[in-house]
C-alpha cells in the first residue's frame, strides 16, 4: 500500500473507455488508488515488473478475461501466480459461464466478479482481495459449491474444455490432437458428458451446455 494507506490497483482491460470508467469509479472510492493500467495480459506483466522495480507493487490486479488479440486474463493470471511475490488477481468480466469461471480459478485468481456488479460491491471485492480473501460473484460461488457438493455429477474442467472445443465444430480426432489425448479418450469423455447432461449426441450436448451457461454460445466473440 501507499503511505496514505490506500490499496493500489493495477487495472487491466483492453477497452480504453471501460478502463476510463473503472479508473474514475475506483479512484473515487476511499482507500483505493490506481497504480497503473494495461491493455492486455502481456502489458500487465510489464507493468508489474516496472512497479516492482520502483518498489511500488500493486496490492491487487483487476483483470479482464478476453482482451482482443492480446494475452488473455486467464493466461496472464497463471503467469502472475508464478512470480516470487504475486499480487492477488481479481477477475472482472462480463462472462459467467462455467468454462470461464473454472479456467480463472484454476489459473489462481483470488476472485471472480462481473462488470455489472454494484459499485460498492466492487469496492468491497477489491479491498477483500487485497486483504487475502476470496471474492466470488453469486454464479461463481454457486458453481464451485455445486462441484464440492456433487462431485460425481459436475462436469470436470477437462469435460468443460472438450465441450468448448466441441462447440467449435472440431472432430473427435482434431480435439484429441489439440489437447494431447487419444481419440478413444475423447470418446470416453463424451460418453460421460452426455450422461451428465442427459443427452445422446454432440448437437444436444452443445445446446444443453449453452443453455445452462456451461460454455458460451458457439460463435461468440469472447
Amino acid at each position: 500500500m501507499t503511505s496514505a494507506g490506500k490499496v493500489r490497483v493495477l487495472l487491466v482491460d483492453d477497452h480504453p473507455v471501460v478502463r476510463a470508467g473503472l479508473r474514475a469509479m475506483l479512484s473515487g472510492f476511499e482507500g483505493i488508488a490506481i497504480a497503473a493500467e494495461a491493455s492486455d495480459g502481456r502489458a500487465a506483466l510489464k507493468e508489474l515488473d516496472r512497479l516492482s522495480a520502483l518498489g511500488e507493487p500493486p496490492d491487487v490486479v483487476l483483470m479482464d478475461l478476453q482482451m482482443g488479440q492480446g494475452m488473455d486474463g486467464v493466461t496472464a493470471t497463471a503467469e502472475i501466480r508464478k512470480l516470487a511475490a504475486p499480487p492477488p488477481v481479481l477477475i472482472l468480466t462480463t462472462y459467467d459461464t462455467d468454462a470461464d469461471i473454472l479456467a480463472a480459478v484454476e489459473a489462481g485468481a483470488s476472485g471472480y466478479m462481473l462488470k455489472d456488479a454494484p459499485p460498492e460491491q466492487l469496492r468491497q471485492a477489491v479491498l477483500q482481495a487485497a486483504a487475502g480473501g476470496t471474492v466470488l460473484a453469486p454464479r461463481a460461488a454457486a458453481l464451485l459449491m455445486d462441484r464440492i457438493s456433487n462431485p460425481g455429477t459436475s462436469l470436470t474442467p477437462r469435460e468443460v474444455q472438450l465441450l468448448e472445443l466441441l462447440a467449435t465444430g472440431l472432430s473427435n480426432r482434431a480435439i484429441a490432437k489439440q489437447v494431447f489425448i487419444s481419440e478413444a479418450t475423447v470418446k470416453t469423455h463424451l460418453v460421460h458428458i452426455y450422461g451428465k447432461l442427459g443427452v445422446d449426441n454432440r448437437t444436444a450436448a452443445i445446446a444443453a451446455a449453452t443453455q445452462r451457461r456451461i460454455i458460451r454460445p458457439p460463435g461468440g466473440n469472447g
Side-chain angles (χ1 to χ4, degrees), residues 190-202:
L190 291 181
V191 170
H192 294 159
I193 290 169
Y194 295 167
K196 290 178 180 180
L197 294 178
V199 299
D200 59 6
N201 61 74
R202 62 171 54 204

Side-chain angles (χ1 to χ4, degrees), residues 22-53:
L22 287 171
R23 179 176 64 247
M25 179 175 63
L26 291 169
S27 297
F29 291 147
E30 183 179 354
I32 295 177
I34 302 300
E37 299 178 25
S39 60
D40 67 17
R42 196 169 304 283
L45 290 169
K46 290 181 179 179
E47 281 299 310
L48 281 174
D49 283 343
R50 183 182 70 82
L51 292 170
S52 295

Side-chain angles (χ1 to χ4, degrees), residues 4-67:
K6 290 189 175 184
V7 168
R8 293 164 46 80
V9 177
L10 171 57
L11 183 57
V12 188
D13 196 292
D14 64 325
H15 294 292
V17 174
V18 174
R19 281 204 314 276
L22 287 171
R23 179 176 64 247
M25 179 175 63
L26 291 169
S27 297
F29 291 147
E30 183 179 354
I32 295 177
I34 302 300
E37 299 178 25
S39 60
D40 67 17
R42 196 169 304 283
L45 290 169
K46 290 181 179 179
E47 281 299 310
L48 281 174
D49 283 343
R50 183 182 70 82
L51 292 170
S52 295
L54 293 173
E56 300 176 348
D59 300 297
V60 177
V61 178
L62 194 59
M63 181 81 72
D64 192 15
L65 271 186
Q66 297 297 319
M67 291 179 277

